Amino acid sequence: MSKENWRRLDNSAKIFPIISSKKYSSVFRLSAVLKEKVEPEILKQAVNEVLKYYASFKVKLKKGMFWYYYEENNKELIIEEENNYPCKYIDPNTNNDYLFKITYFNNKINLDIFHSLTDGNSGVYLLREIVYTYIEKKYPEVFDEKIREARKIKYDTEDDYIKNYNKKLHSNSSSRKAYILKGKKLPLATIGVIHENINLKELKIVAKEKEVTVTQYLTATLIYAIYTANYIKHKGSRPIKICIPVDLKKYFRSETINNFFSYITVETNMKQVNEFEDILRFVKGDFEKRLSKNEILKTMSANVRLGNNLIIKMIPLFLKSIIVRLSYLEIRKYTTTTFSNIGRIGIIGEYKKYIEKFMILIAPEPVEKIKCSACSFDNELVFTFTSTLENTDIEKTFYKQIKKQGIEISLEGNGVHDIIS
Amino acid sequence: MTLYPKINNIRNSHLVIKIMLGISILISLTCIIINICIPGNFFWAFLVIAGIVYTWVTVMYSIKRNINIASNVFMQTILISILTIAIDIIIGYRGWSLDMALPIIISVANITLLLLTIVSTKKYYQYALYQVMTFLISILPFVLLCTTNLIKLEIFTILATFIATVTLIFNISLCGKNIKEELIRRLHL
């Protein structure tokens, strides 16, 4: 935050306030499940302490003439027991203007974040810090000052998109519309959640045997599940396109706490590849092609160039909102679903024994009716489906496909779907 | 131990608003029907509808923008001005809305903003943009006076423009730097 107590939105963040609404919440959730029941009072103390260091989250969104911007928010953060479906639209008017929400339920601490504020990987920093501080406050006799000081991280609020993009590079993204998932929808505003808890060690062994990465293996399984459980039934003809967010910190030096991600789109023509092994081979090849630094830079640069275009900059915000919303009605049709794997959540040894697992959830939308996400902790990878569809055939097929490979897997949900089969 | 609470039903926080909206529509339709059935000198049902529309815009705006008083003052200035002009037109235009009502509304708004700036020393930067915007709409009657024959009684408009100008100068001298900063952040490209 500058000395004037306001800051610009980063290049990715600019789009979210414009396109978001109750239907398109642009909210993701990070949850930490602890071994013991969460004590609300300690959680409040922990969060307030953490926010002193993570001041970039203590902001409210304001409308400027041309862009939104962040302004310092000194109001108290509301921390309450979870009482709604996950990843719901965060209405600043009912949340003391904050763009993130902290809730708890039984052993679980939830952090719902409006994507404009940051991405999943940076969100993990905040959740991890809250969990560390909570544990320290809960067990002060175990954690002394030395341990606490050792884990402080450094971050900045730079827009690293601007720092790293290349003006001359052009993206060659696909112009083909995607297969859109079909099926009867759940009642209005309901979100079904299914967590598939996968044994990470066994998953890694199987992935290694097939000479693919864990993300490639899960993406192929997801495509296969969509194909067999939805695509065939509804006689799909368009390609299944999976949007995979990519953490740009793996490609560029960055300490930003803001958004710094790009994406690749895996496009599978189901008329050419439809057996699992074929899909797996195709996904592997497509990942390798699209995940090169140059390809990533191309996609990122195209997006930055758009946001940096002087003519676009000069359009008043209200007009920009109308144009962007109209274009997004079309853009959304280019993805079947999104699968975000934020990978391993590293936790310092002393704190591990207090934590059961971590989970990430992404808000489903009217077009992308199912969204998928994954993260791992210790020897468990939690693959999560968030869905607005009544039918759970995709989730079940995914489960069976993993189980078929001899990998240990179990299901958990939020009670919307009957998942025990 | 379950991971999620059971959500029994979809919470509808806007139920009260929906009921009130239904009542408003009902009242408006009843008034129109009565007005048509019992003919009078003028279509008074429009007065009721104008009042209802004004109330709704005020309520919805206040719900959404419950923080900044200056934005409410600005919004009210516009809404009440439209309402008074509408009333003047509905009951047979005599020009009192432009001659007297508008200048009085504008003067009150400017003085209110000035008082807000003086009383709330720490928050005045938040009011800056609305002060400038209120000033801009404050000089509209003066523009009308100079360019058209719509305003017959000049004194109120001249006085209102004078008050608006003095208020703006006073505000700039009091917190010019803050007005500049607020404009930079609001107008950044």
Side-chain angles (χ1 to χ4, degrees):
Chain A
M1 194 74 64
S2 67
K3 64 178 169 43
E4 291 92 7
N5 299 331
W6 74 281
R7 73 167 200 265
R8 291 160 190 267
L9 271 67
D10 64 69
N11 191 71
S12 272
K14 281 176 184 171
I15 199 83
F16 293 113
I18 297 174
I19 59 164
S20 299
S21 62
K22 280 186 181 167
K23 278 185 179 176
Y24 296 94
S25 74
S26 307
V27 170
F28 62 91
R29 169 179 286 194
L30 295 160
S31 298
V33 182
L34 307 181
K35 295 259 170 81
E36 286 180 18
K37 200 167 174 158
V38 173
E39 288 185 31
E41 227 9 82
I42 299 179
L43 178 64
K44 274 178 200 172
Q45 288 170 24
V47 171
N48 288 331
E49 194 172 312
V50 169
L51 286 179
K52 284 180 200 162
Y53 303 102
Y54 284 76
S56 66
F57 286 87
K58 286 195 78 179
V59 288
K60 54 185 164 189
L61 194 66
K62 302 279 279 182
K63 251 183 192 172
M65 179 74 177
F66 302 102
W67 295 110
Y68 283 92
Y69 63 93
Y70 293 131
E71 201 176 88
E72 193 178 350
N73 186 1
N74 290 317
K75 287 184 184 172
E76 198 185 335
L77 180 74
I78 300 165
I79 299 169
E80 55 188 8
E81 191 166 16
E82 186 178 352
N83 59 11
N84 207 340
Y85 295 107
C87 308
K88 298 301 284 184
Y89 174 71
I90 298 174
D91 183 354
N93 291 320
T94 58
N95 195 40
N96 270 351
D97 295 333
Y98 281 97
L99 302 169
F100 68 100
K101 238 179 142 67
I102 292 181
T103 52
Y104 58 89
F105 184 74
N106 286 341
N107 295 13
K108 189 172 58 129
I109 298 171
N110 304 311
L111 169 61
D112 286 55
I113 304 179
F114 181 44
H115 216 324
S116 178
L117 207 52
T118 190
D119 56 28
N121 286 289
S122 293
V124 168
Y125 294 152
L126 181 66
L127 179 70
R128 198 162 37 194
E129 200 61 29
I130 290 168
V131 171
Y132 281 151
T133 314
Y134 174 85
I135 293 170
E136 284 159 3
K137 289 197 177 291
K138 180 105 192 267
Y139 310 98
E141 67 285 353
V142 183
F143 297 93
D144 58 19
E145 187 70 22
K146 212 174 102 190
I147 298 173
R148 278 183 276 150
E149 277 309 306
R151 58 169 180 77
K152 290 277 179 279
I153 66 142
K154 251 175 54 186
Y155 74 88
D156 59 48
T157 54
E158 289 285 308
D159 186 346
D160 284 347
Y161 288 105
I162 303 291
K163 247 167 54 182
N164 293 294
Y165 89 108
N166 185 330
K167 281 180 190 172
K168 287 169 193 159
L169 284 178
H170 288 268
S171 168
N172 41 14
S173 59
S174 160
S175 56
R176 292 177 71 195
K177 281 187 185 172
Y179 170 70
I180 303 298
L181 294 172
K182 295 180 179 70
K184 200 177 167 198
K185 283 191 175 181
L186 287 167
L188 191 70
T190 308
I191 295 176
V193 178
I194 294 178
H195 300 292
E196 312 223 353
N197 307 315
I198 305 169
N199 184 306
L200 186 60
K201 214 178 274 173
E202 292 174 4
L203 177 67
K204 276 181 176 170
I205 291 169
V206 173
K208 204 175 172 188
E209 274 171 15
K210 311 269 182 195
E211 294 174 338
V212 293
T213 65
V214 165
T215 308
Q216 288 166 3
Y217 188 84
L218 293 172
T219 307
T221 312
L222 178 63
I223 293 170
Y224 179 73
I226 291 171
Y227 174 69
T228 50
N230 198 285
Y231 191 92
I232 295 175
K233 192 178 160 191
H234 297 282
K235 299 183 178 76
S237 56
R238 295 204 164 112
I240 293 176
K241 293 170 83 171
I242 314 282
C243 175
I244 317 264
V246 178
D247 181 15
L248 291 177
K249 284 180 187 163
K250 287 180 183 161
Y251 294 84
F252 306 96
R253 261 181 80 92
S254 168
E255 282 188 343
T256 187
I257 194 86
N258 293 345
N259 280 299
F260 195 43
F261 72 98
S262 185
Y263 58 87
I264 59 165
T265 306
V266 178
E267 181 177 334
T268 325
N269 188 337
M270 303 319 294
K271 288 194 178 88
Q272 287 160 11
V273 270
N274 49 36
E275 292 297 323
F276 180 68
E277 296 298 327
D278 296 338
I279 296 172
L280 195 59
R281 251 193 310 276
F282 171 79
V283 168
K284 186 188 178 206
D286 212 36
F287 258 70
E288 282 166 1
K289 194 173 76 193
R290 294 179 197 276
L291 276 178
S292 70
K293 190 172 176 178
N294 196 44
E295 283 299 313
I296 295 286
L297 196 58
K298 271 184 190 172
T299 315
M300 184 187 94
S301 300
N303 291 333
V304 178
R305 217 176 22 252
L306 196 67
N308 248 3
N309 184 300
L310 191 65
I311 299 166
I312 290 172
K313 277 181 171 180
M314 296 288 283
I315 300 172
L317 186 57
F318 78 94
L319 207 59
K320 221 166 345 213
S321 300
I322 297 169
I323 299 166
V324 172
R325 276 183 196 165
L326 285 174
S327 350
Y328 256 73
L329 288 177
E330 203 52 28
I331 291 169
R332 286 189 171 106
K333 293 175 187 163
Y334 287 75
T335 313
T336 306
T337 187
T338 298
F339 166 44
S340 175
N341 182 5
I342 56 167
R344 191 180 72 90
I345 297 182
I347 290 290
I348 302 167
E350 293 95 325
Y351 299 81
K352 270 186 177 174
K353 62 178 178 187
Y354 303 97
I355 302 165
E356 184 78 40
K357 65 170 134 189
F358 285 95
M359 299 178 298
I360 175 170
L361 296 84
I362 319 174
E365 298 167 1
V367 181
E368 284 186 55
K369 297 171 193 88
I370 287 184
K371 288 220 185 179
C372 307
S373 45
C375 67
S376 62
F377 170 69
D378 235 10
N379 188 33
E380 189 176 63
L381 181 139
V382 183
F383 188 99
T384 302
F385 287 94
T386 38
S387 168
T388 56
L389 287 178
E390 214 177 73
N391 187 295
T392 55
D393 286 352
I394 294 173
E395 291 90 327
K396 283 175 187 162
T397 311
F398 184 94
Y399 169 85
K400 284 175 192 162
Q401 182 61 25
I402 296 280
K403 206 170 171 72
K404 210 169 115 184
Q405 303 291 327
I407 303 164
E408 191 192 333
I409 181 169
S410 65
L411 299 177
E412 271 176 300
N414 69 340
V416 169
H417 296 115
D418 177 22
I419 50 165
I420 312 301
S421 52
Chain B
M1 187 85 67
T2 52
L3 283 176
Y4 293 90
K6 190 168 165 47
I7 316 288
N8 289 320
N9 46 26
I10 304 155
R11 288 191 309 161
N12 197 342
S13 57
H14 299 304
L15 189 66
V16 180
I17 289 178
K18 279 178 186 164
I19 292 168
M20 296 307 288
L21 190 65
I23 293 171
S24 305
I25 294 168
L26 198 71
I27 292 172
S28 306
L29 288 174
T30 314
C31 289
I32 291 171
I33 292 165
I34 295 172
N35 208 170
I36 292 168
C37 294
I38 311 164
N41 288 338
F42 66 99
F43 211 70
W44 55 265
F46 278 147
L47 277 182
V48 181
I49 294 166
I52 289 173
V53 170
Y54 162 75
T55 311
W56 270 105
V57 178
T58 305
V59 167
M60 295 317 287
Y61 189 77
S62 304
I63 288 171
K64 280 191 175 270
R65 306 289 297 266
N66 56 354
I67 314 141
N68 198 327
I69 310 168
S71 75
N72 271 327
V73 172
F74 171 72
M75 199 62 191
Q76 286 299 326
T77 311
I78 295 173
L79 287 177
I80 299 174
S81 303
I82 294 170
L83 185 68
T84 46
I85 294 168
I87 293 172
D88 197 1
I89 292 167
I90 292 165
I91 61 173
Y93 185 75
R94 284 182 196 157
W96 56 264
S97 56
L98 289 179
D99 283 346
M100 287 185 291
L102 224 60
I104 291 169
I105 294 163
I106 284 165
S107 305
V108 170
N110 278 292
I111 293 165
T112 309
L113 282 175
L114 180 67
L115 289 174
L116 276 175
T117 308
I118 295 167
V119 219
S120 51
T121 48
K122 278 182 185 169
K123 282 186 185 167
Y124 51 56
Y125 73 91
Q126 292 181 359
Y127 306 150
L129 189 74
Y130 295 102
Q131 280 164 354
V132 175
M133 281 156 69
T134 309
F135 173 75
L136 290 176
I137 59 160
S138 298
I139 55 166
L140 280 180
F142 189 71
V143 175
L144 281 180
L145 179 72
C146 298
T147 55
T148 66
N149 289 325
L150 283 169
I151 296 168
K152 306 277 186 275
L153 201 63
E154 295 167 351
I155 184 71
F156 283 105
T157 303
I158 293 168
L159 212 64
T161 311
F162 176 74
I163 290 172
T165 313
V166 170
T167 310
L168 184 77
I169 293 168
F170 191 77
N171 271 323
I172 289 173
S173 61
L174 204 67
C175 51
K177 199 176 156 225
N178 297 96
I179 291 178
K180 194 181 151 199
E181 274 172 14
E182 181 70 3
L183 289 177
I184 289 171
R185 81 172 78 179
R186 294 265 183 177
L187 303 177
H188 79 271
L189 277 171

